[in-house]
Amino acid sequence: MPVRDFPDEFLFGAATSSHQVEGGNDNCDWWDWELAKGSRDLSGSACEHYQRYPEDIAMARDLGLNSYRFSLEWSRIEPEPGRFDERELAHYRDMALRCREFGVEPIVSLHHFTLPRWLSANGGVLSPGSTERFAAYCAVAADALEGAARYVLTINEPMILVLMGYVDGVWPPGKRSPTAALAAARRLVSWHLAAYGRIRARHPDMLLGVAKHWIDFQPLDGHRALHRGGSRLQSYLLNRWYLGAVRQAQDFIGLNYYSTRYVTGPLRGVPLASEDEPRTEMGWSISPQGLYRALLALRAYDRPIMITENGIAAAQDDQRLAYIVDHLAAVSKALHQGVPVIGYQYWSLLDNFEWAEGYRPQFGIIGVDRATQHRTVRPSGRRYGEIARSGRLPKGT
Ligand code: IFM
């Protein structure tokens, strides 16, 4: 009997988020932002996943995946403050049930960057009652998922939302203010804590977490104290601070990992160590050892770890396959050293709307033709599915 690289129950899957794939998501802040800021592309009909989800989940299952991460769209579920739309709740419950029917474990995010327009128009994350509003929405959403979804993520990448929306100002709400950034970061801690408390009290069987982005900060020059100190500081600010603040309110750790970043000072760094280093279409480094380091670091939080995102924007599909295999090898190495990794969700199931970058970057193991919506499974998707089915990496990895 060949030895498996991953345990039988390991959750191999792929991820998406509502605004990036559903289409017609016109009641949220991002829709307005795309129109007002003249984004590279409008999200428009995206992948029409709102209508085509049965077909898409079936494709994931046919590939051999046993899990699927998707998000609920708050702006659809609560189109006006305090009014919850039963049809939308039924829609998302059906998505989770459809997964179950196909033997696919649903992993559900309740918030993935977008806000209902009524909230963004009133101060968004920083509006005075936003914590209570978020917790109330999460409670209703969790009720709708009862018996259908076990793994629930309250917030996707809270510190990326802070960085892009309140430091760099390139995402809504377009602020560049350290004071607002700090307030938003604190507020997103209270969002999670409030939502966790509310859901935990009503649904003791649900396993709750945050999809926490982790950047592998490394000193560009390990001999320079400034680079070393800078990388520790940046890792604290972007990686560890939030995880520490919600430490007692997580049943598992959700890890979104993409790359290493090379640090040259307290708030400075470069994406690549040298100009000839291989990179993704996003210009990010390709660094499976950064994933391995992240997993070892996260062991300190003493919870099971689910890789809720890891992936590559690649014009060449063989680059995607190599990325997946090399990152899974890093996961397997960590697993064999006792790190409790319970799953891996590739980002993304489908080519989709990559925020400010529009439709140019192709992350999907399934390609989507923008004109026809035709789906094409890429060879990397097939090979990933074979790994998922067998629990084994290709020989020689
Ligand atoms: O597309 C995003 C996703 O929404 C959040 N994590 C990173 C992905 C790739 O940039």
Side-chain angles (χ1 to χ4, degrees):
M1 183 68 183
V3 179
R4 294 174 62 98
D5 295 299
F6 297 90
D8 278 353
E9 63 285 2
F10 194 80
L11 292 172
F12 283 102
T16 61
S17 90
S18 52
H19 189 70
Q20 293 177 271
V21 293
E22 282 183 347
N25 190 30
D26 59 3
N27 198 24
C28 74
D29 57 347
W30 259 93
W31 189 270
D32 298 341
W33 178 264
E34 291 158 29
L35 292 169
K37 298 286 167 183
S39 285
R40 189 183 178 280
D41 298 311
L42 302 178
S43 53
S45 57
C47 305
E48 293 180 357
H49 186 64
Y50 188 85
Q51 292 80 16
R52 294 172 185 260
Y53 69 89
E55 169 198 344
D56 292 336
I57 298 170
M59 284 180 94
R61 186 262 329 257
D62 291 347
L63 281 177
L65 306 186
N66 63 5
S67 50
Y68 174 47
R69 175 182 172 220
F70 62 93
S71 79
L72 269 53
E73 178 57 36
W74 184 3
S75 66
R76 291 191 196 271
I77 291 176
E78 192 177 0
E80 293 161 25
R83 182 171 75 77
F84 294 96
D85 187 322
E86 291 299 332
R87 278 188 22 220
E88 298 293 353
L89 288 163
H91 168 87
Y92 290 112
R93 179 174 173 78
D94 188 62
M95 282 184 81
L97 288 173
R98 193 66 66 121
C99 289
R100 290 232 160 281
E101 190 186 306
F102 289 161
V104 168
E105 181 76 40
I107 299 160
V108 181
S109 323
L110 301 181
H111 181 263
H112 194 119
F113 296 150
T114 52
L115 292 179
R117 178 175 293 116
W118 55 262
L119 185 60
S120 61
N122 283 298
V125 168
L126 293 179
S127 79
S130 76
T131 299
E132 177 46 37
R133 287 276 178 216
F134 182 66
Y137 150 69
C138 287
V140 171
D143 288 354
L145 294 169
E146 171 64 36
R150 256 186 336 145
Y151 291 96
V152 175
L153 297 152
T154 55
I155 308 177
N156 180 73
E157 298 182 358
M159 294 306 290
I160 294 297
L161 179 56
V162 171
L163 188 65
M164 306 300 262
Y166 294 85
V167 178
D168 294 345
V170 293
W171 287 8
K175 294 201 186 313
R176 287 168 179 242
S177 153
T179 325
L182 185 60
R186 287 203 175 118
R187 186 59 69 85
L188 290 173
V189 167
S190 60
W191 275 27
H192 172 74
L193 295 178
Y196 182 92
R198 205 68 80 82
I199 302 173
R200 172 57 59 252
R202 298 155 83 101
H203 305 286
D205 293 342
M206 280 184 180
L207 298 167
L208 306 173
V210 172
K212 180 67 186 69
H213 192 281
W214 181 285
I215 297 171
D216 175 52
F217 291 106
Q218 295 296 322
L220 180 63
D221 180 348
H223 297 296
R224 296 179 66 173
L226 193 64
H227 294 199
R228 288 198 309 274
S231 72
R232 277 197 298 274
L233 177 70
Q234 292 192 39
S235 186
Y236 172 73
L237 292 176
L238 276 171
N239 293 335
R240 296 171 195 270
W241 173 80
Y242 192 95
L243 282 170
V246 300
R247 188 172 189 144
Q248 302 309 327
Q250 293 188 97
D251 304 319
F252 68 99
I253 307 259
L255 165 64
N256 290 7
Y257 169 81
Y258 286 86
S259 63
T260 294
R261 190 170 168 83
Y262 299 92
V263 177
T264 53
L267 298 176
R268 286 198 311 274
V270 287
L272 301 167
S274 71
E275 263 317 300
D276 46 17
E277 193 184 341
R279 67 198 73 178
T280 77
E281 291 284 308
M282 300 291 280
W284 301 343
S285 70
I286 299 176
S287 172
Q289 62 278 20
L291 175 55
Y292 173 68
R293 284 191 287 259
L295 291 170
L296 292 190
L298 288 170
R299 189 155 46 175
Y301 294 87
D302 202 20
R303 293 283 186 283
I305 301 166
M306 163 100 68
I307 298 162
T308 36
E309 285 182 29
N310 173 243
I312 179 171
Q316 304 300 326
D317 191 51
D318 49 359
Q319 198 189 16
R320 185 182 345 273
L321 178 59
Y323 183 100
I324 294 174
V325 170
D326 292 348
H327 284 75
L328 283 174
V331 176
S332 173
K333 184 169 154 195
L335 263 169
H336 284 94
Q337 289 175 15
V339 182
V341 191
I342 56 174
Y344 173 92
Q345 303 298 313
Y346 176 78
W347 183 273
S348 174
L349 181 67
L350 304 166
D351 283 345
N352 62 45
F353 177 72
E354 177 57 25
W355 309 111
E357 311 282 333
Y359 286 104
R360 187 188 54 84
Q362 297 181 316
F363 278 93
I365 47 175
I366 299 177
V368 178
D369 183 312
R370 298 272 335 117
T372 62
Q373 290 289 344
H374 182 73
R375 272 80 164 136
T376 308
V377 175
R378 296 200 163 108
S380 58
R382 281 210 194 85
R383 297 299 301 280
Y384 174 42
E386 285 164 16
I387 297 171
R389 280 202 174 95
S390 64
R392 298 186 65 205
L393 289 163
K395 280 207 182 70
T397 305

